[in-house]
Amino acid sequence: MSFYTFARTVVKQVLTPLYRIEVSGVEHIPKEGAVIICANHISNLDPPIVGITCPRPVHFMAKEELFRTPVVKQLVSRLHAFPVRRGMGDREALRTGLALLKEGKVLGLFPEGTRSKDGKLKKGLAGAGFFALRSEAVVVPCAIIGPYRIGKKLKVIYGAPVDFTPWRERRASADEVTAVIMEHIQQLLNEHQ
């Protein structure tokens, strides 16, 4: 058993009853091939929540600061995270993300780039659109609906995959594609809140 699988099992056993996690739409996540899961961001617990509810291992970008301490760096690396310098175009992080997608893996993104303090969906950053345009991955929108309160129900909804092939063919901009992704996330939030 890999460390990722072990950690996922332990975290799932702890968080699922604690937050009464209710998951729907996992059938929308393709069983193989490149997938980008794009979710709203309301808590530091969002990455593990996506990690335990997605049936496939998820690779997340994580803020570079987490990789500065050797013990934390080793832990997050073994949990399939890779560093990103926020607030600038981090070419190394972009290359890593594209390489993972080329290998047919699942990339987890929070297009807002940072947590929403009021729970409302913010404008997405161009990175999500960049990955959707530069890879052959399908994008699966995801809505995490709180509150993160012990004993209160937390909903995780995966929407139908979006194929961005038509946008690739007409050479749409990364910002344009990110806006479409955000619309899909907002639609899930509207339907399930």
Side-chain angles (χ1 to χ4, degrees):
M1 179 188 294
S2 72
F3 178 77
Y4 181 94
T5 304
F6 169 74
R8 182 183 186 275
T9 303
V10 170
V11 172
K12 188 171 189 171
Q13 287 175 346
V14 172
L15 294 184
T16 301
L18 199 64
Y19 293 112
R20 296 176 53 214
I21 299 170
E22 183 182 279
V23 189
S24 61
V26 289
E27 69 277 6
H28 292 307
I29 300 167
K31 290 184 172 43
E32 54 188 40
V35 177
I36 303 167
I37 293 176
C38 290
N40 59 315
H41 200 6
I42 57 173
S43 167
N44 284 328
L45 287 174
D46 293 339
I49 291 295
V50 172
I52 65 172
T53 57
C54 178
R56 294 174 59 187
V58 184
H59 299 258
F60 288 102
M61 284 186 174
K63 58 185 178 183
E64 179 194 37
E65 296 82 3
L66 291 174
F67 293 83
R68 292 182 186 157
T69 311
V71 174
V72 177
K73 177 182 179 178
Q74 187 177 11
L75 177 65
V76 293
S77 296
R78 292 180 75 189
L79 293 172
H80 298 174
F82 60 97
V84 61
R85 288 192 306 275
R86 297 185 299 176
M88 58 186 76
D90 185 343
R91 289 173 192 239
E92 186 59 34
L94 296 175
R95 275 195 290 270
T96 301
L98 287 175
L100 289 165
L101 292 171
K102 194 169 185 180
E103 291 169 18
K105 296 191 172 160
V106 178
L107 181 64
L109 299 175
F110 299 97
E112 293 163 282
T114 189
R115 292 183 316 279
S116 168
K117 292 186 173 51
D118 61 6
K120 289 185 171 61
L121 194 65
K122 307 290 184 215
K123 184 177 186 289
L125 302 174
F130 170 86
F131 285 117
L133 289 169
R134 295 291 181 94
S135 70
E136 293 179 16
V138 296
V139 175
V140 174
C142 173
I144 302 169
I145 301 171
Y148 273 94
R149 285 204 204 102
I150 293 169
K152 294 275 189 189
K153 189 184 290 181
L154 182 77
K155 292 196 269 189
V156 182
I157 299 102
Y158 292 98
V162 184
D163 180 2
F164 280 99
T165 302
W167 281 267
R168 290 180 199 118
E169 288 170 355
R170 67 178 176 82
R171 300 181 188 243
S173 72
D175 283 323
E176 190 180 343
V177 170
T178 296
V180 173
I181 293 169
M182 301 313 281
E183 284 169 20
H184 282 273
I185 297 171
Q186 186 64 62
Q187 192 174 342
L188 289 175
L189 290 167
N190 294 345
E191 288 170 6
H192 297 276
Q193 274 180 328

